[in-house]
Amino acid sequence: MEEIDATIKKCYNCAEALPQHAKYCLRCGQKHSKGLVTLPQLFAELVDAVFNIDSKLYRTLLHIFIPGKLTQEYFKGRQVRYVSPLRFFFFWGVVAFALMASLGGNLINLQENMDSSSRLGKAYAEKFNVTFDSVASVLNQEIRINKSASILLDSLRHRLQVGKKDSSQLGYFLLKDGAFSPQSLVLSNADVFTLDAASICNKYKVEGSLSRFQVQQGVKLIRDPEGYSKFVLGSFTWMLLVMLFAVALALKFIYIRRKRYYVEHLIFSMHCHAFTLMLIAIGLIFKVKEGAFWGAISLAVGLYLWLAMKRFYGQRWGKTSLKFFLATSAYLFIFVFALGITSLIGIALF
């Protein structure tokens, strides 16, 4: 048997035999080196990695602003030039909804989280108001304070009152005799903020495991609405991802005579959503609150979709306009349905 030449050069990564003059492995592409790298080589690799990776991002960001261009390029076989549609969508989705969650209190006008002392204050608002009214009545009737003192007392009442609402209304569905019937509970704030959810169910005689679960989750929502909003916003990226498939299916039916593959509509939907999320993220980064700005963003997204459909599907303006109307109507229906499902799941898991 012929002996194996021990001097044959092998790849340190995959052990592939290499020609003596080879600098890189033909199988895995690993550079033939024992691991020692000079400082100039390290710097050169860093520069090469940054500019090679970012060139995809720069090119993607440049072409995303041309409606339909990115999707056209993708299906011309030039995928390597650009960031993956799914990765690009996920990136902007995570950025946009992370910003929404962090700025949730300002963006959706929810009440601020209350610390323990303010919770107790709200819980005992009713008792405080009753006591204050009783004291004021005594002062008015027995001491007969003058008008200026009465005004001062009213001002003090306004400053010290921790809230006029002393109760919260909670709705749920009761399953009885195979049918759901709507029910309503009026919960005292003292109970909401001092009792645990199970004790509230017992006190208000909520029957049935499903009804008790609804009430318990409702109590959590009343206690921490902002926390719930952040929880739901954290799920919106996944909601949009699921929506992409539904929107692509709608586009498949709208353009059924164009004989395009389903994946083409899916990639088109990803690029349009990524553009929308990018604009939203930019507005949130700069903390723009003017309604005119967000109105302009809505118009820009609508115009973008219309032009993108014209470029990518290549139909006349009349047909494009009609199908744009059908697509936006279908999208609105899908969005409202998905938002409702996501909100319900959020309540169940919160």
Side-chain angles (χ1 to χ4, degrees):
M1 177 183 284
E2 184 179 355
E3 295 184 359
I4 299 176
D5 187 355
T7 63
I8 292 178
K9 187 164 66 173
K10 293 184 179 180
C11 173
Y12 290 108
N13 183 53
C14 66
E16 176 76 2
L18 305 176
Q20 289 297 324
H21 62 279
K23 293 184 179 180
Y24 295 89
C25 177
L26 300 177
R27 175 189 286 178
C28 67
Q30 167 78 37
K31 185 176 182 179
H32 188 69
S33 167
K34 293 184 178 180
L36 298 176
V37 180
T38 64
L39 189 59
Q41 287 177 327
L42 183 62
F43 181 75
E45 288 182 4
L46 176 63
V47 173
D48 179 68
V50 169
F51 284 98
N52 278 345
I53 292 175
D54 284 356
S55 63
K56 286 186 176 184
L57 180 59
Y58 297 147
R59 195 177 294 114
T60 303
L61 289 174
L62 178 64
H63 285 170
I64 194 67
F65 282 96
I66 305 174
K69 174 73 171 178
L70 204 55
T71 315
Q72 273 189 331
E73 289 287 293
Y74 189 87
F75 287 108
K76 286 181 179 178
R78 298 168 183 164
Q79 295 96 335
V80 178
R81 294 185 181 185
Y82 304 96
V83 177
S84 162
L86 186 58
R87 181 178 298 179
F88 195 63
F89 162 79
F90 255 113
F91 173 78
W92 287 112
V94 170
V95 170
F97 290 120
L99 289 169
M100 286 185 190
S102 64
L103 304 174
N106 294 328
L107 292 174
I108 54 182
N109 197 27
L110 290 174
Q111 68 182 54
E112 296 179 356
N113 280 328
M114 298 179 295
D115 57 22
S116 57
S117 60
S118 61
R119 286 183 181 181
L120 288 174
K122 186 171 183 179
Y124 290 100
E126 181 181 6
K127 293 182 179 179
F128 176 83
N129 292 334
V130 170
T131 303
F132 191 95
D133 289 339
S134 176
V135 172
S137 177
V138 170
L139 289 175
N140 282 317
Q141 293 178 6
E142 298 185 10
I143 304 179
R144 296 182 180 180
I145 57 177
N146 58 34
K147 186 176 181 180
S148 298
S150 179
I151 295 174
L152 179 62
L153 192 62
D154 289 338
S155 177
L156 182 62
R157 182 205 307 272
H158 178 73
R159 289 175 177 272
L160 292 180
Q161 278 184 319
V162 291
K164 294 183 178 179
K165 286 188 64 178
D166 50 40
S167 63
S168 300
Q169 189 167 4
L170 179 63
Y172 67 98
F173 288 96
L174 174 66
L175 179 60
K176 189 174 183 180
D177 298 329
F180 286 100
S181 60
Q183 304 291 322
S184 180
L185 285 179
V186 178
L187 306 177
S188 167
N189 282 335
D191 292 336
V192 171
F193 293 104
T194 58
L195 298 179
D196 60 82
S199 298
I200 290 175
C201 289
N202 293 333
K203 181 175 180 178
Y204 289 86
K205 299 179 180 179
V206 179
E207 300 178 355
S209 56
L210 180 59
S211 298
R212 292 175 67 89
F213 176 76
Q214 294 176 69
V215 171
Q216 289 175 8
Q217 295 304 107
V219 169
K220 290 181 182 179
L221 182 58
I222 294 173
R223 288 175 177 173
D224 188 12
E226 187 178 359
Y228 166 74
S229 68
K230 291 181 179 180
F231 180 82
V232 172
L233 283 173
S235 307
F236 268 23
T237 302
W238 296 103
M239 182 196 83
L240 281 182
L241 180 61
V242 174
M243 280 183 58
L244 289 177
F245 292 90
V247 171
L249 184 62
L251 289 172
K252 175 69 174 177
F253 281 107
I254 291 172
Y255 286 98
I256 193 168
R257 297 180 63 184
R258 303 298 290 178
K259 305 299 182 182
R260 286 184 177 271
Y261 292 106
Y262 174 79
V263 70
E264 295 181 75
H265 305 291
L266 183 60
I267 299 300
F268 175 80
S269 180
M270 285 183 184
H271 285 149
C272 291
H273 276 84
F275 174 78
T276 304
L277 291 169
M278 182 174 62
L279 293 186
I280 293 174
I282 292 172
L284 295 175
I285 289 172
F286 291 100
K287 298 182 179 180
V288 180
K289 299 180 181 179
E290 287 76 10
F293 173 82
W294 295 107
I297 290 293
S298 300
L299 291 176
V301 169
L303 180 61
Y304 181 92
L305 177 61
W306 182 49
L307 296 176
M309 291 173 68
K310 176 67 174 70
R311 176 189 289 270
F312 181 64
Y313 293 106
Q315 292 188 319
R316 295 181 179 179
W317 288 109
K319 283 189 175 182
T320 299
S321 299
L322 174 61
K323 293 184 177 182
F324 168 77
F325 172 77
L326 294 175
T328 51
S329 299
Y331 185 85
L332 181 61
F333 173 80
I334 294 170
F335 178 79
V336 171
F337 179 78
L339 183 62
I341 295 297
T342 303
S343 300
L344 290 175
I345 293 175
I347 292 175
L349 299 179
F350 177 57

